[in-house]
Structures are given as structure tokens and as C-alpha cells.
Amino acid sequence: MRTQVVIVGAGPAGTLLSLLLGDAGIDNVVLERQSRDYVLSRVRAGVLESGTVEILRRAGVGERMDREGHVHDTVNIAWRGSELLSVDTVDRVGKRMMAYGQTAIQEDLYAALDDRGRPPVFEAADVELNGLTTDRPWVTYTGPDGSTERIDCDHICGCDGFHGVARQSIPAEERTEYGKEYPFGWLGILSETPPLPILLYANHTDGFALCSMRTPMLSRYYVQCPLTDAVEDWPDDRFWSELLGRLPPSQAERIVTGPSIEKSNAPLRSFVAEPMRYGNLFLAGDAAHIVPPTGAKGLNLAVSDVHYLSQALIERFGSGSTTALDDYGPLALRRVWGAVRFSWWLTSLLHRFPDQTPFDQRAQEQELTYLSSSPAAQTALAEQYVGLPL
Ligand code: APR
Ligand code: PHB
């Protein structure tokens, strides 16, 4: 079989890229290792930058987001027990965010591809990338029925996440990896209870906490926990009492508790692989970079990578010019490093580190004091939180 672009991975990056390329008349095939249900069962962050909202609308997948998403225009940080800093992003930088879960976006993207008769190939095993530095790369895989398949193409896009095959297909001597692991994780739950009307981050001596939302009857909450903790260490009662204890009393009393319907823990890490291109292989999304969830930049970066990459491929197949493809990696990385730095900073500002000395703690408190009193600092926070320009 032959196509123009093979896309590896049917997460948000791979499916949005497929939709944009297909709608521009570029033939493509998406290969996904997991089943559709498995991908849709993964719970991920849910805050969209204004640029992401625009890109999704232009791709034709904005209708449910605009109907069900919750406009989010303040960054709220609780600290020192009862202080509450609220930064209005519209006042500061004239932009707002949207709270809309990644699972819902993924459903919308699959539905759009189904409507067009171009669904991904699910349960594609043993994907291997070949001939990457030639004009005729090809991909082999084992189909869901056990058959061995081969697809020849012009370009391969690696949208297969951090644990995927694409980045690993680039010879180690051709890539540089920058990484940082944080000494804690986030324990997150979903609960069918009404969320707080605001998104609330908390810096507390017992550790970070976050109150977020999915729908009017679905809340998402997180608490910082040690890396060694398992989900079983966090029965619901313990989770709720830790969460409430880390929030200012005025907010804690507004939280409606209930049984969790999902519970998971995840370590926090920052990671960037450079370059984002090797021959005719282009990386996008988590395949090339990871941010800690603080600030919810992961999905937004995947969308901005795909925005640049789709435009470059459309130019390549339209006018034949490869200038934009040559510029793709450096252009995407400028934004990636902006979000990587911001996520690292917000993580450092809001968490309790196991080796934090009294000096470190006072410096962290001073940063929050400064942020609370400085309009300039608040503008810098808002500018990065709503997303750096595309
Ligand atoms: N072959 C085929 N598919 C693969 C392979 C492989 N060898 N390895 C991984 N995949 C699939 C995964 O099963 C997953 O569905 O690639 C997909 C990658 O999707 P994501 O991990 O969601 O990555 P991405 O699309 O870049 O989206 C980034 O997801 O991880 C969050 O915080 C992140 O919100 C951000 C977003
Ligand atoms: C979430 O809703 O899951 C979420 C929101 C904000 C973040 C991180 C995660 O900063």
C-alpha cells in the first residue's frame, strides 16, 4: 500500500494531524497500537489555551467544545493557609482559556475522522519505521488480524507519545535529550460531584493540591504525593481529607465530596528531544517533549506542533517547497521551550520538595508574595498561562 503521510499514534496529536492533512487533500494513514476504547479511557488534563481553541475550531471540531466547555479566565493560587491570589487573564493579556477534557477532544477527533470515512487503524502492533533518510520511507506493522503490512510513503510523523517507537528510531548519536524528574507525583481523581466554579491551585506545607473540572457534574482533583505511593494507599476518605486540608477554609467548605470514579497517580517530568526531525521523520507532541502537568501545557504543545507541521506539509504537497518543513523543528521548539520553562517554574513555585530547606521555603513564599503584589509579575504569569503566541 502507498500513501503520502504515515502518522504513528492516534492520540490528540496524530488524530488532529490526520484531520488537517486529510481535509487539505493529503492522503494519510494513522497507526495506533492500542484499541479506541483504551485510548479513550486515559484521563488527561483539560485546560485549552486560546490558540488551541482557535485551531480546534478551524479544524471543525469546536462545536461540542464551545457548547460544553467551561470558559476559564482566572488563575487562582491559594497559599499560606488562607491567602488567595486571583489573576484575571482577560484584564492582564486580553485572552481566556477553556476547561474541556482531553478525553472529550479525543472523542470529537475520532468522530470527525469517522464522519470523513478515515478512521485510524487501531491495534497495529510491531510498528517499525524504515528508510527514514531516503525519499521513500516505509512502515511495517502487524495488523489486528495478525497479517504483516507495509505502507510506503513520502513522510512519517511520529505522534506516538513518550513511550513510542518514532523517537527511538532516530540514531542516539543524532539526538540530544534534556530531562528532569521531579521527586513527587500527582494522585488524581474524577468524581461525579459539582466542581468549584474556579480552577484553584494550592501551595501548602503538606504539598500541592489542584481543583479542576470537566463538566457541571464531573470534578477533577489532584494532590501531590510521594513517588513511592500507590493508588491503594489513597482510599477516597484519605484523599478528600488531604485535599480539603490543603485548601483555604473558604474554598474547602465549598467542595462537594463523593466517591471517586477514577483514580490514578503519575510522576512529574520535563523532557525535550532535539531535533524534532530526522530525514523524512517528523516528531510532534509527547513523542518529542513532556511537561509536568502543572499549567496543563502538554496537549496545547501537541496542538501547536501539529499546527506548524500540518501547514508545512500542506506547503510541501501544494507548491512543492520544503522551506516550511525545514523550519518546522526550530519553530516548534521555540514554543516548546517556552512552555517547558513555564511548567518547570509553576511546578517549582507550587510544590513542596522533599529536600526543601527553610531558605528554599522562604524564597518560594517570597515569590508568591511578589506575584501577589506585582501587576508586572501577574501579567507575565497570565501571558504564559494563556499560551505564548503561535
Ligand atoms: N505504535 C503505534 N502507536 C503507538 C506506539 C507504537 N509503537 N507507541 C505509542 N503509540 C500510541 C499510544 O498508544 C497513544 O495513543 O501513540 C499515542 C500517543 O498519544 P499521547 O500519548 O496522547 O500523545 P500526543 O498525541 O502527543 O498528545 C499529547 O497527551 O500525554 C498527553 O499531556 C499530554 O496532553 C498531552 C497529550
Ligand atoms: C486538569 O483539569 O486535569 C488540569 C487542570 C489544570 C492543570 C493541570 C491539570 O494545571
Side-chain angles (χ1 to χ4, degrees):
M1 180 183 172
R2 176 158 177 82
T3 189
Q4 287 171 298
V5 180
V6 172
I7 299 170
V8 187
T15 42
L16 178 62
L17 183 61
S18 174
L19 186 66
L20 293 169
L21 294 183
D23 285 357
I26 298 171
D27 195 41
N28 66 87
V29 176
V30 183
L31 301 176
E32 165 60 50
R33 181 166 57 184
Q34 304 288 355
S35 68
R36 179 185 293 234
D37 286 348
Y38 181 93
V39 177
L40 289 173
S41 69
R42 295 188 297 222
V43 180
R44 299 263 174 82
V47 178
L48 309 183
E49 298 174 352
S50 55
T52 300
V53 168
E54 271 315 305
I55 291 169
L56 293 175
R57 281 186 190 137
R58 282 206 301 272
V61 282
E63 198 206 321
R64 179 156 76 121
M65 173 185 74
D66 283 324
R67 205 174 51 240
E68 295 181 7
H70 180 91
V71 169
H72 160 43
D73 51 17
T74 54
V75 190
N76 304 284
I77 301 178
W79 59 292
R80 208 187 272 152
S82 58
E83 308 257 357
L84 184 60
L85 162 67
S86 210
V87 177
D88 185 318
T89 60
V90 178
D91 283 356
R92 291 280 157 224
V93 291
K95 289 185 187 167
R96 47 174 58 91
M97 315 274 290
M98 175 88 87
Y100 186 64
Q102 183 170 319
T103 309
I105 295 174
Q106 192 64 75
E107 286 169 355
D108 298 344
L109 286 164
Y110 285 159
L113 289 173
D114 287 346
D115 281 350
R116 289 155 172 80
R118 304 193 309 257
V121 177
F122 289 98
E123 296 175 61
D126 314 319
V127 169
E128 280 182 24
L129 315 185
N130 305 280
L132 296 175
T133 53
T134 72
D135 288 346
R136 287 281 174 267
W138 75 97
V139 177
T140 55
Y141 67 99
T142 307
D145 58 356
S147 58
T148 302
E149 307 287 343
R150 169 177 170 143
I151 311 180
D152 293 273
C153 57
D154 298 302
H155 302 290
I156 300 174
C157 297
C159 301
D160 51 349
F162 184 65
H163 299 290
V165 65
R167 189 181 67 255
Q168 304 299 339
S169 304
I170 304 176
E173 62 277 14
E174 300 286 342
R175 58 188 147 97
T176 307
E177 299 187 342
Y178 302 86
K180 182 172 184 64
E181 290 182 5
Y182 300 85
F184 40 73
W186 279 15
L187 197 292
I189 68 159
L190 275 178
S191 141
E192 286 173 322
T193 49
L196 287 182
I198 56 166
L199 215 121
L200 177 64
Y201 297 87
N203 170 309
H204 190 273
T205 46
D206 293 342
F208 168 82
L210 168 60
C211 306
S212 182
M213 60 197 72
R214 290 293 177 271
T215 67
M217 264 311 283
L218 191 59
S219 311
R220 179 79 169 147
Y221 296 104
Y222 301 93
V223 293
Q224 173 186 345
C225 67
L227 280 173
T228 45
D229 278 13
V231 165
E232 296 70 45
D233 297 324
W234 286 87
D236 287 359
D237 287 353
R238 178 178 178 209
F239 183 88
W240 288 118
S241 79
E242 277 291 334
L243 177 76
L244 297 185
R246 296 179 189 192
L247 302 178
S250 61
Q251 299 296 324
E253 68 191 21
R254 301 166 72 187
I255 301 271
V256 182
T257 62
S260 65
I261 58 163
E262 193 271 350
K263 192 180 285 169
S264 51
N265 61 350
L268 270 66
R269 86 156 48 94
S270 301
F271 173 85
V272 182
E274 294 186 16
M276 287 171 67
R277 172 191 194 162
Y278 175 67
N280 273 312
L281 168 67
F282 298 86
L283 302 180
D286 277 18
H289 42 74
I290 296 283
V291 288
T294 333
K297 291 292 168 218
L299 173 70
N300 292 290
L301 279 184
V303 168
S304 63
D305 285 355
V306 164
H307 168 73
Y308 296 133
L309 184 54
S310 61
Q311 289 194 331
L313 286 166
I314 290 167
E315 184 173 312
R316 143 83 177 88
F317 286 109
S319 69
S321 162
T322 56
T323 309
L325 268 186
D326 294 339
D327 290 345
Y328 163 67
L331 188 62
L333 279 167
R334 218 176 45 198
R335 222 175 164 273
V336 165
W337 274 108
V340 165
R341 193 215 72 84
F342 177 67
S343 307
W344 159 80
W345 172 77
L346 200 57
T347 301
S348 311
L349 181 71
L350 297 179
H351 289 76
R352 196 68 23 167
F353 286 70
D355 59 354
Q356 202 158 344
T357 62
F359 175 90
D360 297 333
Q361 183 150 339
R362 289 302 292 266
Q364 194 189 57
E365 276 176 28
Q366 175 52 33
E367 185 140 14
L368 286 159
T369 305
Y370 172 61
L371 197 55
S372 299
S373 60
S374 162
Q378 291 176 16
T379 299
L381 166 68
E383 180 180 49
Q384 296 172 89
Y385 193 84
V386 300
L388 294 169
L390 282 162

